[in-house]
Amino acid sequence: MSQKFPLLKNNLLLRTLNGEDVERPPCWIMRQAGRYLPEYHTVKKDKNFFEVCRDAELASEITIQPIRHYKNLIDAAIIFSDILVIPQAMGMDVKMIDGVGPSFPNPLRTISDYETVLNYKVDVEKSLHWAFKAITLTRLKLNGEVPLFGFVGGPYTLLTYMVEGGGSRLFRFIKQLINEHPEWAHKLLQKITDVAVEFCVKQVQAGAQALQVFESWGGELSSRDFDEFSLPYLIQINERVKQILGKDKVPMIVFSKGSWYALDKLCDSGYDAVSLDWLWNPKDAVKINNGRVTLQGNLDPGVIYGSNEVITEKVKYMIQSFGGGKSKYIVNFGHGTHPHMDPEKIRFFLEECHRIGST
Ligand SMILES: Cc1c2[nH]c(c1CCC(=O)O)Cc1[nH]c(c(CCC(=O)O)c1C)Cc1[nH]c(c(CCC(=O)O)c1C)Cc1[nH]c(c(C)c1CCC(=O)O)C2
């Protein structure tokens, strides 16, 4: 699809991802659209979460809400959707239950379940057409204010949801799968990767200007199992998406939560940026990275519950420890916002990032 979009007025994020020196670090927040914003509830009302994602008008409105709410403080939008739309496109039923989270009525538990998914003929264009429509509409409505992120879940994280049937504490079923039937795990991970690659490419063709891959359960793997069941697929996504897009390729960020042991490898994985959770002291991450990629992160979102003085002190430490924020650094949280957060505290956090990051 070749579509003329409004000229991008704020390209701070893209310049930073390109490794250029900048005037201050770009700022955005994982889960910046959502339940902590009163206007989110006004739009969502009692509608089902996935119903909202599939409605391009509603999804674009919710995507733009934080950009409007924090005018000139946020440097990127991220399309309102979910990582679990890939399992849906692979023929699985996924429900979002209020107060509980995602739930799969029929998780993958037997060889016959694996075969069903592997034989399922995925039509990304058809099953996710609403996502492309929402991206195109959002890009138009953003009017070049800030760039728009598309995203996908990491294959290991998606497979975890598909076999566990929802969130988990013990990860019993995925651990059983990778240890008892590693060959089936690899076949499923490869199929998810193929769908993720196509979904990423089509998001960019629909208007996404950057991509983030969320490997939210990466830290549940041992270092050795991460190398076998997560990293190769993350690398494939980055390589194949860029290869297919050629000269139209966009920058890509990888976020593998909890995978501290993998930072060195992630810096060599071909991604333009690596997003860090709050377990990292930025100084150690900067040392390991040694200038290879742009780093993103990593404030503990819990800091938002602190006083303004505490927020200021921790923002200052973060930005200074990442090297001052004038190159190869993007401000973010170490994970998403919480529904209980005070939007005014988040405003204060963003203002402080601008102030401290500009000096
Ligand atoms: C693991 C994961 C999911 N979804 C996502 C991840 C990866 C990031 C992470 O590790 O958090 C990614 C995601 N989910 C959502 C976005 C939208 C864009 C944004 O960051 O603003 C993004 C990027 C919206 C959402 N996705 C979800 C909500 C809450 C829906 C609601 O009830 O209104 C939102 C705004 C639902 C969701 N979706 C998922 C869970 C576990 C939940 C329940 C969480 C909860 O109840 O707090 C799966």
Side-chain angles (χ1 to χ4, degrees), residues 28-35 40 44 49 78-84 96-102 151 157 161 214 216-217 255 257 335-336 339:
W28 72 282
I29 306 174
M30 289 188 254
R31 293 272 180 96
Q32 62 192 19
R35 288 170 292 183
Y40 172 74
K44 185 171 178 277
F49 172 76
I78 179 161
I79 191 67
F80 187 78
S81 177
D82 202 83
I83 61 168
L84 300 176
M96 194 60 73
I97 302 173
D98 273 344
V100 176
F151 68 89
T157 299
Y161 276 109
F214 290 87
S216 303
W217 295 132
F255 174 53
K257 186 168 182 290
H335 202 191

Side-chain angles (χ1 to χ4, degrees), residues 109 163-164 168-179:
R109 296 283 164 80
V163 302
E164 295 291 338
S168 179
R169 215 162 44 84
L170 292 179
F171 297 96
R172 166 186 162 198
F173 296 105
I174 184 69
K175 293 295 169 85
Q176 192 177 343
L177 172 56
I178 65 171
N179 288 293

Side-chain angles (χ1 to χ4, degrees), residues 50 53-54 81 84-92 120-133 195 198-199 202:
F50 285 115
C53 295
R54 289 195 189 97
S81 177
L84 300 176
V85 303
I86 285 185
Q88 287 175 335
M90 295 175 75
M92 296 190 74
Y120 187 84
K121 179 118 189 46
V122 181
D123 186 336
V124 170
E125 187 64 50
K126 191 159 162 236
S127 52
L128 295 169
H129 69 95
W130 53 267
F132 309 126
K133 199 170 150 202
V195 178
E198 191 180 346
F199 188 36
K202 292 199 152 94

Side-chain angles (χ1 to χ4, degrees), residues 33-70:
R35 288 170 292 183
Y36 73 99
L37 283 177
E39 57 267 39
Y40 172 74
H41 298 281
T42 310
V43 171
K44 185 171 178 277
K45 298 204 191 87
D46 52 5
K47 285 188 272 299
N48 171 275
F49 172 76
F50 285 115
E51 191 190 319
V52 177
C53 295
R54 289 195 189 97
D55 182 316
E57 277 298 336
L58 296 182
S60 62
E61 165 61 23
I62 292 174
T63 302
I64 296 170
Q65 281 179 346
I67 309 303
R68 223 185 272 135
H69 193 112
Y70 300 113

Side-chain angles (χ1 to χ4, degrees), residues 119-276:
N119 291 330
Y120 187 84
K121 179 118 189 46
V122 181
D123 186 336
V124 170
E125 187 64 50
K126 191 159 162 236
S127 52
L128 295 169
H129 69 95
W130 53 267
F132 309 126
K133 199 170 150 202
I135 286 173
T136 304
L137 182 64
T138 306
R139 174 94 182 260
L140 289 168
K141 287 214 258 183
L142 275 170
N143 196 27
E145 231 36 77
V146 292
L148 177 63
F149 268 103
F151 68 89
V152 289
Y156 176 74
T157 299
L158 294 179
L159 184 59
T160 299
Y161 276 109
M162 289 159 75
V163 302
E164 295 291 338
S168 179
R169 215 162 44 84
L170 292 179
F171 297 96
R172 166 186 162 198
F173 296 105
I174 184 69
K175 293 295 169 85
Q176 192 177 343
L177 172 56
I178 65 171
N179 288 293
E180 192 181 13
H181 298 299
E183 68 290 358
W184 285 105
H186 281 298
K187 282 186 202 164
L188 290 161
L189 288 164
Q190 188 56 56
K191 172 119 179 177
I192 296 167
T193 302
D194 294 344
V195 178
V197 166
E198 191 180 346
F199 188 36
C200 281
V201 167
K202 292 199 152 94
Q203 289 186 70
V204 174
Q205 289 165 342
Q209 291 151 292
L211 294 168
Q212 179 155 317
V213 181
F214 290 87
E215 188 73 293
S216 303
W217 295 132
E220 294 299 326
L221 286 164
S222 69
S223 168
R224 184 182 159 190
D225 284 342
F226 181 83
D227 288 351
E228 178 173 352
F229 296 102
S230 171
L231 188 61
Y233 300 99
L234 295 174
I235 290 175
Q236 253 196 64
I237 293 176
N238 175 72
E239 281 179 355
R240 289 171 58 194
V241 168
K242 285 179 178 159
Q243 195 198 355
I244 295 168
L245 288 169
K247 65 171 180 32
D248 297 323
K249 74 176 197 269
V250 302
M252 296 178 63
I253 303 178
V254 64
F255 174 53
S256 188
K257 186 168 182 290
S259 303
W260 61 270
Y261 46 75
L263 180 58
D264 183 48
K265 289 171 184 164
L266 288 170
C267 292
D268 270 340
S269 63
Y271 280 86
D272 303 270
V274 175
S275 198
L276 302 170

Side-chain angles (χ1 to χ4, degrees), residues 47 60 71 94 110 112 137 182 188 246 263 309 330 334 338 354:
K47 285 188 272 299
S60 62
K71 195 161 173 43
V94 188
T110 63
S112 145
L137 182 64
L188 290 161
L263 180 58
E309 290 70 29
I330 300 166
H338 306 176
H354 278 239

